[in-house]
Amino acid sequence: MKNMLSSKDWLSREERKKLLQKNDWRALYEVLFTWTLIIASFALVINFPNPLSYIVAWLVIGGRQLACSIIMHDTGHFALFKSKRLNNFIGKWLGAYPVLSDLSAYRPYHNRHHVHTGTDDDPDLLLTTGYPARMLSMCRKFFRDLSGLTGIKSQIAFTMMQLGILKYNLGKKVEWVDASDRTLKSIFYKGLTNLSGPIIANLLIFTALWSIGHPWLYLLWIIPLFTSFQLFLRIRSMAEHSMVIQSGDPHTNTRTTYANPLERLFFAPHYVNYHAEHHLMMGVPPYNLPKMHRILLQKGFYERGILEKGYWSLIQKAVV
């Protein structure tokens, strides 16, 4: 089922052309901002080792790991840099690989989400169902995220996907691949090949920390990856497509959520909160989405479209 409207219904040809223009310097700033905050979090703990600095670093790094996944998302659309080669390189080595993800598998999977958003064929549909939830149920979900249970489950599934045992799916759907004609050696080789990027990227992070005399700080990368990152990822997913009318209409199946500076730090990096705009024209660079939002707002898009005033109000709506 295709969308019931397109960007042409709301934007002129000239507006679309300007919004689609990429700026490599602006894209580089977005990437450097995320990694500067990651480095600053490590520096904070090194220079001020106390419980408060650890908590701040745990939260900030978890938020920046979400930002890395958004870099993977944006480069998956070739929407960050002008060059496809640069999108692929940055998307892999400064986006997907550090957070144990795979841009090459993610790109075609995510494009299916855009084609079938809000329909039964949407591969991400299971990610956003089940809300609103009762307080006890929501507390259980958050506990699983912050305790590492969600992260462990996700990484086991990802490893099995890379081994070719499960079909690639980020939406909780489990589909086994028939491996009866494959040897254990071929399965291992496929997995090693597919996982080489994430392994190398994380070895580089560990080596960098070891070279400055603090190899133990790698725990401050891994622990958020399995805890705070999972919580922030859940809240981001809730904001985008939960508690909406499941249909092929971008007015009703995707939400844009305003974000204050703290919310941008944790839940909405790289303007991912302008999600209705992204779904209306997915090739628009993230740094142009606020401008696109202002245009659509003036033209009345949100007389039908879904606009939320903030992430806290969204979380409140997700609990009954």
Side-chain angles (χ1 to χ4, degrees):
M1 181 177 180
K2 293 185 178 181
N3 288 336
M4 296 171 63
L5 67 131
S6 72
S7 58
K8 295 179 182 178
D9 296 307
W10 288 101
L11 301 166
S12 68
R13 181 178 179 181
E14 186 62 26
E15 286 170 332
R16 296 196 306 275
K17 182 179 178 181
K18 288 183 178 179
L19 288 170
L20 287 168
Q21 288 181 350
K22 299 179 183 70
N23 184 320
D24 284 346
W25 289 109
R26 188 68 178 83
L28 183 62
Y29 168 80
E30 292 292 327
V31 176
L32 290 179
F33 180 76
T34 280
W35 281 93
T36 297
L37 282 181
I38 291 170
I39 294 169
S41 297
F42 285 126
L44 174 68
V45 171
I46 291 171
N47 291 286
F48 304 98
N50 60 69
L52 181 59
S53 68
Y54 284 110
I55 292 172
V56 170
W58 173 65
L59 291 170
V60 172
I61 289 176
R64 291 305 93 189
Q65 288 170 336
L66 178 58
C68 287
S69 74
I70 302 305
I71 290 172
M72 175 183 73
H73 167 269
D74 294 336
T75 56
H77 287 291
F78 298 108
L80 198 57
F81 294 91
K82 295 177 182 178
S83 163
K84 284 189 174 183
R85 182 176 296 180
L86 190 56
N87 273 291
N88 280 332
F89 180 81
I90 296 295
K92 290 177 179 178
W93 292 101
L94 295 178
Y97 289 160
V99 294
L100 306 178
S101 293
D102 180 359
L103 174 62
S104 298
Y106 173 79
R107 181 177 282 134
Y109 169 86
H110 184 65
N111 283 337
R112 291 198 302 275
H113 162 65
H114 274 268
V115 173
H116 302 292
T117 307
T119 72
D120 292 339
D121 295 322
D122 184 349
D124 283 349
L125 198 58
L126 291 176
L127 278 177
T128 54
T129 56
Y131 303 100
R134 294 190 178 277
M135 176 63 76
L136 184 59
S137 175
M138 188 66 78
C139 288
R140 286 198 298 263
K141 295 177 192 296
F142 287 173
F143 173 77
R144 289 196 297 268
D145 295 340
L146 293 177
S147 66
L149 293 175
T150 302
I152 292 170
K153 182 179 178 181
S154 297
Q155 288 306 322
I156 289 174
F158 176 72
T159 301
M160 293 177 73
M161 293 172 198
Q162 299 304 81
L163 288 167
I165 298 172
L166 290 179
K167 289 184 179 180
Y168 187 89
N169 188 289
L170 302 180
K172 301 181 181 179
K173 186 176 181 179
V174 176
E175 292 185 271
W176 296 92
V177 176
D178 183 7
S180 59
D181 60 341
R182 297 166 57 199
T183 64
L184 287 176
K185 182 179 179 180
S186 67
I187 292 173
F188 175 79
Y189 180 76
K190 181 180 178 66
L192 186 61
T193 301
N194 290 340
L195 290 168
S196 60
I199 291 170
I200 292 170
N202 278 266
L203 280 175
L204 288 173
I205 294 171
F206 175 80
T207 301
L209 294 170
W210 175 77
S211 69
I212 61 174
H214 299 279
W216 60 272
L217 274 181
Y218 180 67
L219 290 173
L220 201 54
W221 179 258
I222 286 297
I223 291 174
L225 188 62
F226 282 82
T227 56
S228 55
F229 166 58
Q230 301 298 326
L231 175 65
F232 299 155
L233 183 62
R234 180 184 298 277
I235 293 172
R236 173 220 162 185
S237 297
M238 285 166 48
E240 292 172 356
H241 297 292
S242 290
M243 299 170 292
V244 299
I245 298 173
Q246 299 299 339
S247 70
D249 184 354
H251 281 118
T252 61
N253 66 22
T254 307
R255 177 188 291 106
T256 280
T257 305
Y258 288 139
N260 62 39
L262 200 59
E263 290 169 334
R264 288 200 299 271
L265 183 64
F266 299 130
F267 313 128
H270 306 305
Y271 307 103
V272 73
N273 54 306
Y274 294 104
H275 209 62
E277 288 74 17
H278 170 64
H279 269 259
L280 191 62
M281 195 159 64
M282 61 184 177
V284 174
Y287 39 83
N288 288 346
L289 290 174
K291 181 180 180 181
M292 182 178 175
H293 173 73
R294 291 191 294 270
I295 295 173
L296 292 177
L297 195 62
Q298 291 173 355
K299 293 188 176 186
F301 179 90
Y302 284 100
E303 291 175 11
R304 287 186 57 204
I306 305 173
L307 183 59
E308 187 61 49
K309 64 181 180 180
Y311 281 81
W312 176 240
S313 64
L314 185 281
I315 293 172
Q316 289 176 306
K317 288 180 179 179
V319 180
V320 292

